[in-house]
Amino acid sequence: MSEPRWLTPHQADVWAKYRRLRRELQRAQDQQLQQDSGLSAADYALLAPLSESVDGVLRARDLGAEVGWERSRLSHQISRMEKRGLVTREACADDARGSMVRLTEKGREAIDAAAPKHAEYVRKLVFDPLTADEAHLFGDLMDRILDAVERNAR
């Protein structure tokens, strides 16, 4: 058996910073959305792709794949959002076992009101601290890391 490839001290420091950034960025996003719009990050995660889809409708499994959620988490979140009138669930014409998720007028109003402030906050936290060249480099680096993650997914 070969010796483990431990992280160098610098790599360990970068990894710790990434983990902290991920946690703090998520916390900040959750707080901003709740304060500015009354939406949770989970609400926003589903409303955004629905608002960008044709007629505000997506198949539930496609919506789940878009946000990277398991079926049970997606189902529970959709149920919560249905109770608040943000989305409706409909039968899928192509597959009796599947369902479609439709953005309601109230859901459209909620995402339309939340999106500008959320975009401004993302810009303030992520892009304003970087130069245009750094933002492009950051995107390129994320592409390379995502590619490695997808190639090595178990």
mmCIF file of all heavy atoms in Angstrom, residues 24-54:
data_model
loop_
_atom_site.group_PDB
_atom_site.id
_atom_site.type_symbol
_atom_site.label_atom_id
_atom_site.label_comp_id
_atom_site.label_asym_id
_atom_site.label_seq_id
_atom_site.Cartn_x
_atom_site.Cartn_y
_atom_site.Cartn_z
ATOM 1 N N GLU A 24 -19.398 30.485 5.249
ATOM 2 C CA GLU A 24 -19.761 31.874 5.508
ATOM 3 C C GLU A 24 -20.540 32.501 4.354
ATOM 4 O O GLU A 24 -21.441 33.310 4.576
ATOM 5 C CB GLU A 24 -18.507 32.704 5.827
ATOM 6 C CG GLU A 24 -17.844 32.311 7.130
ATOM 7 C CD GLU A 24 -18.759 32.448 8.336
ATOM 8 O OE1 GLU A 24 -19.502 33.452 8.420
ATOM 9 O OE2 GLU A 24 -18.764 31.543 9.189
ATOM 10 N N LEU A 25 -20.200 32.122 3.134
ATOM 11 C CA LEU A 25 -20.935 32.633 1.976
ATOM 12 C C LEU A 25 -22.376 32.115 1.999
ATOM 13 O O LEU A 25 -23.324 32.863 1.735
ATOM 14 C CB LEU A 25 -20.224 32.233 0.679
ATOM 15 C CG LEU A 25 -20.664 32.909 -0.600
ATOM 16 C CD1 LEU A 25 -20.583 34.420 -0.514
ATOM 17 C CD2 LEU A 25 -19.821 32.392 -1.761
ATOM 18 N N GLN A 26 -22.547 30.840 2.341
ATOM 19 C CA GLN A 26 -23.897 30.278 2.450
ATOM 20 C C GLN A 26 -24.687 30.974 3.554
ATOM 21 O O GLN A 26 -25.849 31.327 3.381
ATOM 22 C CB GLN A 26 -23.842 28.773 2.710
ATOM 23 C CG GLN A 26 -25.212 28.112 2.702
ATOM 24 C CD GLN A 26 -25.859 28.176 1.333
ATOM 25 O OE1 GLN A 26 -25.284 27.736 0.353
ATOM 26 N NE2 GLN A 26 -27.060 28.717 1.258
ATOM 27 N N ARG A 27 -24.057 31.190 4.701
ATOM 28 C CA ARG A 27 -24.714 31.864 5.820
ATOM 29 C C ARG A 27 -25.125 33.283 5.417
ATOM 30 O O ARG A 27 -26.248 33.717 5.674
ATOM 31 C CB ARG A 27 -23.796 31.920 7.041
ATOM 32 C CG ARG A 27 -24.446 32.552 8.282
ATOM 33 C CD ARG A 27 -23.430 32.951 9.338
ATOM 34 N NE ARG A 27 -22.397 33.845 8.853
ATOM 35 C CZ ARG A 27 -22.578 35.150 8.563
ATOM 36 N NH1 ARG A 27 -23.754 35.712 8.709
ATOM 37 N NH2 ARG A 27 -21.575 35.892 8.127
ATOM 38 N N ALA A 28 -24.225 34.001 4.767
ATOM 39 C CA ALA A 28 -24.517 35.368 4.347
ATOM 40 C C ALA A 28 -25.657 35.398 3.328
ATOM 41 O O ALA A 28 -26.547 36.256 3.405
ATOM 42 C CB ALA A 28 -23.257 36.020 3.760
ATOM 43 N N GLN A 29 -25.645 34.469 2.385
ATOM 44 C CA GLN A 29 -26.710 34.390 1.385
ATOM 45 C C GLN A 29 -28.045 34.082 2.048
ATOM 46 O O GLN A 29 -29.059 34.716 1.737
ATOM 47 C CB GLN A 29 -26.391 33.305 0.357
ATOM 48 C CG GLN A 29 -27.533 33.032 -0.596
ATOM 49 C CD GLN A 29 -27.249 31.873 -1.505
ATOM 50 O OE1 GLN A 29 -26.484 32.011 -2.440
ATOM 51 N NE2 GLN A 29 -27.864 30.735 -1.244
ATOM 52 N N ASP A 30 -28.059 33.115 2.953
ATOM 53 C CA ASP A 30 -29.295 32.761 3.657
ATOM 54 C C ASP A 30 -29.860 33.974 4.382
ATOM 55 O O ASP A 30 -31.058 34.265 4.299
ATOM 56 C CB ASP A 30 -29.047 31.644 4.675
ATOM 57 C CG ASP A 30 -28.685 30.318 4.045
ATOM 58 O OD1 ASP A 30 -28.827 30.163 2.815
ATOM 59 O OD2 ASP A 30 -28.232 29.428 4.788
ATOM 60 N N GLN A 31 -29.000 34.683 5.087
ATOM 61 C CA GLN A 31 -29.418 35.842 5.864
ATOM 62 C C GLN A 31 -29.938 36.963 4.954
ATOM 63 O O GLN A 31 -30.978 37.564 5.223
ATOM 64 C CB GLN A 31 -28.256 36.334 6.718
ATOM 65 C CG GLN A 31 -28.607 37.437 7.669
ATOM 66 C CD GLN A 31 -27.418 37.803 8.543
ATOM 67 O OE1 GLN A 31 -26.263 37.733 8.121
ATOM 68 N NE2 GLN A 31 -27.690 38.192 9.772
ATOM 69 N N GLN A 32 -29.225 37.240 3.879
ATOM 70 C CA GLN A 32 -29.636 38.299 2.949
ATOM 71 C C GLN A 32 -30.995 37.991 2.340
ATOM 72 O O GLN A 32 -31.878 38.853 2.301
ATOM 73 C CB GLN A 32 -28.589 38.478 1.849
ATOM 74 C CG GLN A 32 -28.944 39.518 0.808
ATOM 75 C CD GLN A 32 -29.760 38.969 -0.351
ATOM 76 O OE1 GLN A 32 -29.515 37.872 -0.838
ATOM 77 N NE2 GLN A 32 -30.738 39.733 -0.800
ATOM 78 N N LEU A 33 -31.189 36.770 1.866
ATOM 79 C CA LEU A 33 -32.461 36.420 1.244
ATOM 80 C C LEU A 33 -33.611 36.528 2.238
ATOM 81 O O LEU A 33 -34.663 37.075 1.918
ATOM 82 C CB LEU A 33 -32.395 35.003 0.661
ATOM 83 C CG LEU A 33 -31.630 34.869 -0.649
ATOM 84 C CD1 LEU A 33 -31.354 33.407 -0.965
ATOM 85 C CD2 LEU A 33 -32.391 35.535 -1.776
ATOM 86 N N GLN A 34 -33.404 36.009 3.440
ATOM 87 C CA GLN A 34 -34.462 36.049 4.451
ATOM 88 C C GLN A 34 -34.816 37.485 4.815
ATOM 89 O O GLN A 34 -35.993 37.846 4.867
ATOM 90 C CB GLN A 34 -34.024 35.268 5.693
ATOM 91 C CG GLN A 34 -35.134 35.039 6.687
ATOM 92 C CD GLN A 34 -36.240 34.156 6.126
ATOM 93 O OE1 GLN A 34 -35.991 33.104 5.580
ATOM 94 N NE2 GLN A 34 -37.470 34.601 6.243
ATOM 95 N N GLN A 35 -33.799 38.314 5.043
ATOM 96 C CA GLN A 35 -34.048 39.700 5.449
ATOM 97 C C GLN A 35 -34.674 40.534 4.339
ATOM 98 O O GLN A 35 -35.575 41.332 4.581
ATOM 99 C CB GLN A 35 -32.753 40.362 5.913
ATOM 100 C CG GLN A 35 -32.283 39.890 7.257
ATOM 101 C CD GLN A 35 -30.959 40.524 7.659
ATOM 102 O OE1 GLN A 35 -30.279 41.168 6.866
ATOM 103 N NE2 GLN A 35 -30.574 40.318 8.911
ATOM 104 N N ASP A 36 -34.184 40.377 3.115
ATOM 105 C CA ASP A 36 -34.631 41.235 2.021
ATOM 106 C C ASP A 36 -35.909 40.766 1.344
ATOM 107 O O ASP A 36 -36.622 41.577 0.762
ATOM 108 C CB ASP A 36 -33.535 41.366 0.953
ATOM 109 C CG ASP A 36 -32.363 42.207 1.416
ATOM 110 O OD1 ASP A 36 -32.483 42.869 2.469
ATOM 111 O OD2 ASP A 36 -31.333 42.202 0.717
ATOM 112 N N SER A 37 -36.183 39.442 1.391
ATOM 113 C CA SER A 37 -37.326 38.947 0.615
ATOM 114 C C SER A 37 -38.224 37.979 1.371
ATOM 115 O O SER A 37 -39.286 37.630 0.859
ATOM 116 C CB SER A 37 -36.817 38.265 -0.658
ATOM 117 O OG SER A 37 -36.102 37.085 -0.324
ATOM 118 N N GLY A 38 -37.779 37.504 2.524
ATOM 119 C CA GLY A 38 -38.554 36.498 3.244
ATOM 120 C C GLY A 38 -38.426 35.111 2.658
ATOM 121 O O GLY A 38 -39.096 34.177 3.097
ATOM 122 N N LEU A 39 -37.568 34.952 1.663
ATOM 123 C CA LEU A 39 -37.334 33.642 1.060
ATOM 124 C C LEU A 39 -36.148 32.973 1.728
ATOM 125 O O LEU A 39 -35.197 33.635 2.133
ATOM 126 C CB LEU A 39 -37.036 33.778 -0.436
ATOM 127 C CG LEU A 39 -38.145 34.308 -1.328
ATOM 128 C CD1 LEU A 39 -37.623 34.492 -2.753
ATOM 129 C CD2 LEU A 39 -39.356 33.383 -1.316
ATOM 130 N N SER A 40 -36.191 31.659 1.791
ATOM 131 C CA SER A 40 -35.020 30.907 2.235
ATOM 132 C C SER A 40 -34.125 30.656 1.018
ATOM 133 O O SER A 40 -34.557 30.812 -0.132
ATOM 134 C CB SER A 40 -35.453 29.564 2.837
ATOM 135 O OG SER A 40 -35.979 28.715 1.827
ATOM 136 N N ALA A 41 -32.901 30.262 1.286
ATOM 137 C CA ALA A 41 -32.003 29.918 0.183
ATOM 138 C C ALA A 41 -32.571 28.742 -0.604
ATOM 139 O O ALA A 41 -32.419 28.679 -1.832
ATOM 140 C CB ALA A 41 -30.605 29.596 0.711
ATOM 141 N N ALA A 42 -33.245 27.821 0.069
ATOM 142 C CA ALA A 42 -33.870 26.679 -0.611
ATOM 143 C C ALA A 42 -35.005 27.148 -1.520
ATOM 144 O O ALA A 42 -35.155 26.649 -2.645
ATOM 145 C CB ALA A 42 -34.370 25.668 0.408
ATOM 146 N N ASP A 43 -35.805 28.100 -1.037
ATOM 147 C CA ASP A 43 -36.863 28.669 -1.883
ATOM 148 C C ASP A 43 -36.244 29.259 -3.151
ATOM 149 O O ASP A 43 -36.683 28.984 -4.270
ATOM 150 C CB ASP A 43 -37.602 29.810 -1.163
ATOM 151 C CG ASP A 43 -38.422 29.388 0.038
ATOM 152 O OD1 ASP A 43 -38.831 28.217 0.122
ATOM 153 O OD2 ASP A 43 -38.650 30.264 0.902
ATOM 154 N N TYR A 44 -35.223 30.081 -2.955
ATOM 155 C CA TYR A 44 -34.584 30.768 -4.070
ATOM 156 C C TYR A 44 -33.961 29.760 -5.041
ATOM 157 O O TYR A 44 -34.058 29.931 -6.267
ATOM 158 C CB TYR A 44 -33.525 31.741 -3.563
ATOM 159 C CG TYR A 44 -33.060 32.722 -4.605
ATOM 160 C CD1 TYR A 44 -33.701 33.947 -4.760
ATOM 161 C CD2 TYR A 44 -31.989 32.432 -5.437
ATOM 162 C CE1 TYR A 44 -33.281 34.854 -5.725
ATOM 163 C CE2 TYR A 44 -31.568 33.323 -6.406
ATOM 164 C CZ TYR A 44 -32.213 34.535 -6.540
ATOM 165 O OH TYR A 44 -31.806 35.425 -7.510
ATOM 166 N N ALA A 45 -33.357 28.712 -4.484
ATOM 167 C CA ALA A 45 -32.711 27.697 -5.328
ATOM 168 C C ALA A 45 -33.702 27.066 -6.297
ATOM 169 O O ALA A 45 -33.334 26.742 -7.430
ATOM 170 C CB ALA A 45 -32.061 26.625 -4.459
ATOM 171 N N LEU A 46 -34.949 26.885 -5.880
ATOM 172 C CA LEU A 46 -35.954 26.298 -6.768
ATOM 173 C C LEU A 46 -36.658 27.346 -7.628
ATOM 174 O O LEU A 46 -36.962 27.091 -8.792
ATOM 175 C CB LEU A 46 -36.995 25.527 -5.955
ATOM 176 C CG LEU A 46 -36.482 24.336 -5.149
ATOM 177 C CD1 LEU A 46 -37.646 23.568 -4.548
ATOM 178 C CD2 LEU A 46 -35.603 23.418 -5.983
ATOM 179 N N LEU A 47 -36.907 28.510 -7.058
ATOM 180 C CA LEU A 47 -37.608 29.547 -7.819
ATOM 181 C C LEU A 47 -36.780 30.048 -9.000
ATOM 182 O O LEU A 47 -37.338 30.335 -10.068
ATOM 183 C CB LEU A 47 -37.981 30.721 -6.907
ATOM 184 C CG LEU A 47 -39.062 30.456 -5.867
ATOM 185 C CD1 LEU A 47 -39.213 31.662 -4.936
ATOM 186 C CD2 LEU A 47 -40.386 30.088 -6.514
ATOM 187 N N ALA A 48 -35.474 30.161 -8.823
ATOM 188 C CA ALA A 48 -34.632 30.692 -9.900
ATOM 189 C C ALA A 48 -34.710 29.846 -11.174
ATOM 190 O O ALA A 48 -35.030 30.391 -12.246
ATOM 191 C CB ALA A 48 -33.194 30.860 -9.423
ATOM 192 N N PRO A 49 -34.447 28.535 -11.124
ATOM 193 C CA PRO A 49 -34.542 27.773 -12.384
ATOM 194 C C PRO A 49 -35.969 27.700 -12.930
ATOM 195 O O PRO A 49 -36.160 27.681 -14.144
ATOM 196 C CB PRO A 49 -34.003 26.387 -12.026
ATOM 197 C CG PRO A 49 -33.955 26.319 -10.552
ATOM 198 C CD PRO A 49 -33.920 27.718 -10.035
ATOM 199 N N LEU A 50 -36.967 27.673 -12.043
ATOM 200 C CA LEU A 50 -38.353 27.685 -12.537
ATOM 201 C C LEU A 50 -38.641 28.978 -13.281
ATOM 202 O O LEU A 50 -39.285 28.965 -14.331
ATOM 203 C CB LEU A 50 -39.337 27.516 -11.372
ATOM 204 C CG LEU A 50 -39.453 26.116 -10.804
ATOM 205 C CD1 LEU A 50 -40.258 26.124 -9.502
ATOM 206 C CD2 LEU A 50 -40.074 25.161 -11.824
ATOM 207 N N SER A 51 -38.157 30.099 -12.755
ATOM 208 C CA SER A 51 -38.422 31.396 -13.398
ATOM 209 C C SER A 51 -37.719 31.519 -14.746
ATOM 210 O O SER A 51 -38.146 32.295 -15.592
ATOM 211 C CB SER A 51 -37.995 32.542 -12.479
ATOM 212 O OG SER A 51 -36.588 32.644 -12.406
ATOM 213 N N GLU A 52 -36.667 30.751 -14.942
ATOM 214 C CA GLU A 52 -35.915 30.802 -16.190
ATOM 215 C C GLU A 52 -36.379 29.766 -17.210
ATOM 216 O O GLU A 52 -35.930 29.768 -18.352
ATOM 217 C CB GLU A 52 -34.420 30.608 -15.899
ATOM 218 C CG GLU A 52 -33.845 31.733 -15.047
ATOM 219 C CD GLU A 52 -32.486 31.410 -14.448
ATOM 220 O OE1 GLU A 52 -31.974 30.281 -14.659
ATOM 221 O OE2 GLU A 52 -31.940 32.276 -13.752
ATOM 222 N N SER A 53 -37.273 28.867 -16.793
ATOM 223 C CA SER A 53 -37.735 27.796 -17.678
ATOM 224 C C SER A 53 -38.924 28.255 -18.528
ATOM 225 O O SER A 53 -39.589 29.240 -18.206
ATOM 226 C CB SER A 53 -38.133 26.571 -16.855
ATOM 227 O OG SER A 53 -39.288 26.858 -16.094
ATOM 228 N N VAL A 54 -39.166 27.522 -19.585
ATOM 229 C CA VAL A 54 -40.289 27.810 -20.465
ATOM 230 C C VAL A 54 -41.586 27.665 -19.672
ATOM 231 O O VAL A 54 -41.820 26.647 -19.030
ATOM 232 C CB VAL A 54 -40.290 26.843 -21.679
ATOM 233 C CG1 VAL A 54 -41.518 27.069 -22.545
ATOM 234 C CG2 VAL A 54 -39.016 27.004 -22.487
#
